Amino acid sequence: MRIHIATDHAGLEFSTQLQHHLAAQGHQVIDHGPIEYDALDDYPAFCIRAAQAVVRDQAAGLESLGVVFGGSGNGEQIAANKVAGIRAALVWSIATAELAREHNDANVIAIGARQHTFDEASAFIDRFIATPFSREERHERRIAQIAAFERDGSLAPDPRATGAGTGAARADVLADETSSFDPEAG
């Protein structure tokens, strides 16, 4: 698999270790990050270039994913998600790495290099790469809704705006106290 990676100064040492780790597993690694340490460099262009490369590869039918990281991973995720066709997930555990791929078909993983040891972060990345998308209808439907909004701004109808349910609903009204929440419904 081709893996596009990017970081800023906060993850430069991590990036070098990661490139060797991924290459040893047989992946083709393409680095879009800085070539030398600069404490004042900026992550957006690095992460956006890596994300663009993932989109290009996937459009060409190549198996490709991205890994972006910095101090927290937050800004890097935001930058990558500005590229049409990217679903970048901030990952901080094995479970979030699996769910990002399995439920969201995420094609970029974002990690805080200052938040985890190299062994933890590389385990997240390895699991992310190894986990396939489930292809369950509910997940495909949700991803299609995100893609539709990205493409033309379309959204599913707002049930609060249509007056569905018991009477005309308003967006500024709290949920009924008898409403239930099922975290497993998913």
Side-chain angles (χ1 to χ4, degrees), residues 5 18 26 37 41 62 72 77 81 97 101 107 116 128 137 149 153 155 164 168 177 184:
I5 65 171
L18 181 61
Y37 182 83
D41 68 8
L62 297 172
S72 71
Q77 176 200 27
N81 274 321
R101 291 285 301 136
N107 48 12
H116 305 282
F128 177 77
E137 187 278 330
F149 180 79
L155 289 173
E177 288 182 15
E184 299 300 318

mmCIF file of all heavy atoms in Angstrom, residues 5 18 26 37 41 62 72 77 81 97 101 107 116 128 137 149 153 155 164 168 177 184:
data_model
loop_
_atom_site.group_PDB
_atom_site.id
_atom_site.type_symbol
_atom_site.label_atom_id
_atom_site.label_comp_id
_atom_site.label_asym_id
_atom_site.label_seq_id
_atom_site.Cartn_x
_atom_site.Cartn_y
_atom_site.Cartn_z
ATOM 1 N N ILE A 5 2.564 10.589 4.073
ATOM 2 C CA ILE A 5 2.670 11.126 5.428
ATOM 3 C C ILE A 5 3.079 12.594 5.387
ATOM 4 O O ILE A 5 3.716 13.055 4.443
ATOM 5 C CB ILE A 5 3.641 10.322 6.308
ATOM 6 C CG1 ILE A 5 5.074 10.409 5.796
ATOM 7 C CG2 ILE A 5 3.210 8.867 6.405
ATOM 8 C CD1 ILE A 5 6.079 9.814 6.758
ATOM 9 N N LEU A 18 8.656 6.681 11.662
ATOM 10 C CA LEU A 18 7.471 6.093 11.044
ATOM 11 C C LEU A 18 7.755 5.647 9.608
ATOM 12 O O LEU A 18 7.313 4.582 9.184
ATOM 13 C CB LEU A 18 6.311 7.080 11.066
ATOM 14 C CG LEU A 18 5.010 6.565 10.464
ATOM 15 C CD1 LEU A 18 4.510 5.340 11.221
ATOM 16 C CD2 LEU A 18 3.965 7.669 10.461
ATOM 17 N N GLY A 26 6.700 -3.176 4.144
ATOM 18 C CA GLY A 26 6.473 -3.332 2.715
ATOM 19 C C GLY A 26 5.646 -2.236 2.069
ATOM 20 O O GLY A 26 5.311 -2.332 0.882
ATOM 21 N N TYR A 37 14.409 20.522 10.274
ATOM 22 C CA TYR A 37 13.701 21.089 11.417
ATOM 23 C C TYR A 37 13.644 22.611 11.306
ATOM 24 O O TYR A 37 14.662 23.273 11.091
ATOM 25 C CB TYR A 37 14.393 20.696 12.728
ATOM 26 C CG TYR A 37 13.658 21.217 13.933
ATOM 27 C CD1 TYR A 37 12.571 20.530 14.450
ATOM 28 C CD2 TYR A 37 14.020 22.421 14.540
ATOM 29 C CE1 TYR A 37 11.859 21.004 15.549
ATOM 30 C CE2 TYR A 37 13.320 22.902 15.628
ATOM 31 C CZ TYR A 37 12.246 22.194 16.129
ATOM 32 O OH TYR A 37 11.558 22.677 17.205
ATOM 33 N N ASP A 41 7.865 26.397 11.125
ATOM 34 C CA ASP A 41 7.163 25.963 9.927
ATOM 35 C C ASP A 41 5.677 25.748 10.225
ATOM 36 O O ASP A 41 5.255 25.730 11.376
ATOM 37 C CB ASP A 41 7.813 24.728 9.291
ATOM 38 C CG ASP A 41 7.701 23.463 10.123
ATOM 39 O OD1 ASP A 41 6.997 23.446 11.153
ATOM 40 O OD2 ASP A 41 8.338 22.469 9.743
ATOM 41 N N LEU A 62 -5.365 3.250 -7.030
ATOM 42 C CA LEU A 62 -4.251 2.757 -6.214
ATOM 43 C C LEU A 62 -4.670 2.665 -4.751
ATOM 44 O O LEU A 62 -5.366 3.543 -4.240
ATOM 45 C CB LEU A 62 -3.047 3.692 -6.326
ATOM 46 C CG LEU A 62 -2.426 3.832 -7.706
ATOM 47 C CD1 LEU A 62 -1.382 4.933 -7.709
ATOM 48 C CD2 LEU A 62 -1.802 2.510 -8.127
ATOM 49 N N SER A 72 -0.656 18.001 18.382
ATOM 50 C CA SER A 72 -1.909 17.404 18.876
ATOM 51 C C SER A 72 -2.627 16.574 17.833
ATOM 52 O O SER A 72 -3.455 15.741 18.171
ATOM 53 C CB SER A 72 -2.862 18.499 19.353
ATOM 54 O OG SER A 72 -3.364 19.232 18.246
ATOM 55 N N GLN A 77 -5.571 17.350 11.184
ATOM 56 C CA GLN A 77 -6.837 16.749 10.749
ATOM 57 C C GLN A 77 -7.694 17.784 10.039
ATOM 58 O O GLN A 77 -8.264 17.510 8.982
ATOM 59 C CB GLN A 77 -7.601 16.179 11.941
ATOM 60 C CG GLN A 77 -8.954 15.629 11.548
ATOM 61 C CD GLN A 77 -9.916 15.500 12.713
ATOM 62 O OE1 GLN A 77 -9.830 16.220 13.687
ATOM 63 N NE2 GLN A 77 -10.838 14.573 12.598
ATOM 64 N N ASN A 81 -8.828 17.586 6.086
ATOM 65 C CA ASN A 81 -10.256 17.520 5.782
ATOM 66 C C ASN A 81 -10.734 18.643 4.857
ATOM 67 O O ASN A 81 -11.867 18.594 4.376
ATOM 68 C CB ASN A 81 -11.087 17.499 7.065
ATOM 69 C CG ASN A 81 -11.255 16.096 7.603
ATOM 70 O OD1 ASN A 81 -11.432 15.148 6.847
ATOM 71 N ND2 ASN A 81 -11.190 15.962 8.904
ATOM 72 N N ALA A 97 -8.873 4.083 15.910
ATOM 73 C CA ALA A 97 -8.237 3.749 14.630
ATOM 74 C C ALA A 97 -9.095 2.754 13.863
ATOM 75 O O ALA A 97 -9.323 2.917 12.652
ATOM 76 C CB ALA A 97 -6.838 3.171 14.868
ATOM 77 N N ARG A 101 -11.715 3.532 10.214
ATOM 78 C CA ARG A 101 -11.730 2.778 8.949
ATOM 79 C C ARG A 101 -13.032 2.008 8.785
ATOM 80 O O ARG A 101 -13.676 2.065 7.758
ATOM 81 C CB ARG A 101 -10.554 1.796 8.891
ATOM 82 C CG ARG A 101 -9.210 2.440 8.760
ATOM 83 C CD ARG A 101 -8.910 2.994 7.382
ATOM 84 N NE ARG A 101 -8.975 1.950 6.373
ATOM 85 C CZ ARG A 101 -9.570 2.089 5.197
ATOM 86 N NH1 ARG A 101 -10.130 3.237 4.864
ATOM 87 N NH2 ARG A 101 -9.593 1.113 4.332
ATOM 88 N N ASN A 107 -9.716 7.862 5.158
ATOM 89 C CA ASN A 107 -8.566 7.593 4.304
ATOM 90 C C ASN A 107 -7.320 8.339 4.764
ATOM 91 O O ASN A 107 -6.256 8.213 4.161
ATOM 92 C CB ASN A 107 -8.879 7.866 2.825
ATOM 93 C CG ASN A 107 -9.541 9.191 2.583
ATOM 94 O OD1 ASN A 107 -9.607 10.049 3.454
ATOM 95 N ND2 ASN A 107 -10.055 9.365 1.374
ATOM 96 N N HIS A 116 1.504 10.865 22.346
ATOM 97 C CA HIS A 116 1.684 9.416 22.423
ATOM 98 C C HIS A 116 3.144 9.047 22.233
ATOM 99 O O HIS A 116 3.895 9.758 21.579
ATOM 100 C CB HIS A 116 0.865 8.723 21.323
ATOM 101 C CG HIS A 116 -0.574 9.080 21.338
ATOM 102 N ND1 HIS A 116 -1.461 8.538 22.232
ATOM 103 C CD2 HIS A 116 -1.293 9.949 20.583
ATOM 104 C CE1 HIS A 116 -2.662 9.045 22.036
ATOM 105 N NE2 HIS A 116 -2.583 9.907 21.035
ATOM 106 N N PHE A 128 -5.043 1.009 11.838
ATOM 107 C CA PHE A 128 -5.784 1.799 10.845
ATOM 108 C C PHE A 128 -5.581 1.207 9.447
ATOM 109 O O PHE A 128 -6.541 0.967 8.718
ATOM 110 C CB PHE A 128 -5.308 3.247 10.902
ATOM 111 C CG PHE A 128 -5.924 4.165 9.887
ATOM 112 C CD1 PHE A 128 -7.204 4.652 10.053
ATOM 113 C CD2 PHE A 128 -5.201 4.566 8.781
ATOM 114 C CE1 PHE A 128 -7.768 5.514 9.127
ATOM 115 C CE2 PHE A 128 -5.754 5.433 7.844
ATOM 116 C CZ PHE A 128 -7.039 5.902 8.024
ATOM 117 N N GLU A 137 -24.438 -0.929 4.955
ATOM 118 C CA GLU A 137 -25.280 0.052 4.270
ATOM 119 C C GLU A 137 -25.383 1.348 5.051
ATOM 120 O O GLU A 137 -25.299 2.434 4.475
ATOM 121 C CB GLU A 137 -26.677 -0.553 4.021
ATOM 122 C CG GLU A 137 -27.573 0.326 3.160
ATOM 123 C CD GLU A 137 -28.265 1.455 3.929
ATOM 124 O OE1 GLU A 137 -28.541 1.285 5.132
ATOM 125 O OE2 GLU A 137 -28.514 2.527 3.320
ATOM 126 N N PHE A 149 -22.815 16.652 0.501
ATOM 127 C CA PHE A 149 -22.658 18.008 1.026
ATOM 128 C C PHE A 149 -21.375 18.633 0.502
ATOM 129 O O PHE A 149 -21.363 19.796 0.088
ATOM 130 C CB PHE A 149 -22.661 18.027 2.560
ATOM 131 C CG PHE A 149 -22.494 19.415 3.098
ATOM 132 C CD1 PHE A 149 -23.570 20.285 3.134
ATOM 133 C CD2 PHE A 149 -21.261 19.870 3.514
ATOM 134 C CE1 PHE A 149 -23.417 21.580 3.589
ATOM 135 C CE2 PHE A 149 -21.094 21.160 3.973
ATOM 136 C CZ PHE A 149 -22.182 22.021 4.013
ATOM 137 N N GLY A 153 -23.464 20.857 -1.427
ATOM 138 C CA GLY A 153 -24.118 21.490 -0.287
ATOM 139 C C GLY A 153 -25.443 20.867 0.115
ATOM 140 O O GLY A 153 -26.130 21.396 0.987
ATOM 141 N N LEU A 155 -28.186 18.501 1.867
ATOM 142 C CA LEU A 155 -28.353 17.839 3.164
ATOM 143 C C LEU A 155 -29.673 17.098 3.185
ATOM 144 O O LEU A 155 -30.627 17.486 2.494
ATOM 145 C CB LEU A 155 -28.387 18.866 4.306
ATOM 146 C CG LEU A 155 -27.104 19.576 4.679
ATOM 147 C CD1 LEU A 155 -27.387 20.676 5.696
ATOM 148 C CD2 LEU A 155 -26.112 18.586 5.253
ATOM 149 N N ALA A 164 -42.163 17.310 11.469
ATOM 150 C CA ALA A 164 -42.402 15.869 11.631
ATOM 151 C C ALA A 164 -42.588 15.543 13.108
ATOM 152 O O ALA A 164 -42.127 16.252 13.990
ATOM 153 C CB ALA A 164 -41.216 15.091 11.067
ATOM 154 N N ALA A 168 -45.616 20.826 15.077
ATOM 155 C CA ALA A 168 -44.515 21.525 14.430
ATOM 156 C C ALA A 168 -43.363 21.679 15.406
ATOM 157 O O ALA A 168 -43.507 22.262 16.469
ATOM 158 C CB ALA A 168 -44.985 22.897 13.944
ATOM 159 N N GLU A 177 -38.170 15.468 27.571
ATOM 160 C CA GLU A 177 -37.516 14.748 28.663
ATOM 161 C C GLU A 177 -37.732 13.241 28.582
ATOM 162 O O GLU A 177 -36.981 12.471 29.157
ATOM 163 C CB GLU A 177 -38.017 15.271 30.010
ATOM 164 C CG GLU A 177 -37.484 16.647 30.331
ATOM 165 C CD GLU A 177 -37.960 17.131 31.701
ATOM 166 O OE1 GLU A 177 -38.454 16.311 32.502
ATOM 167 O OE2 GLU A 177 -37.817 18.323 31.956
ATOM 168 N N GLU A 184 -25.756 2.302 21.666
ATOM 169 C CA GLU A 184 -25.426 1.132 20.851
ATOM 170 C C GLU A 184 -26.165 1.137 19.517
ATOM 171 O O GLU A 184 -25.930 0.261 18.680
ATOM 172 C CB GLU A 184 -25.773 -0.157 21.622
ATOM 173 C CG GLU A 184 -25.003 -0.302 22.922
ATOM 174 C CD GLU A 184 -23.491 -0.327 22.719
ATOM 175 O OE1 GLU A 184 -23.049 -0.993 21.776
ATOM 176 O OE2 GLU A 184 -22.780 0.325 23.497
#
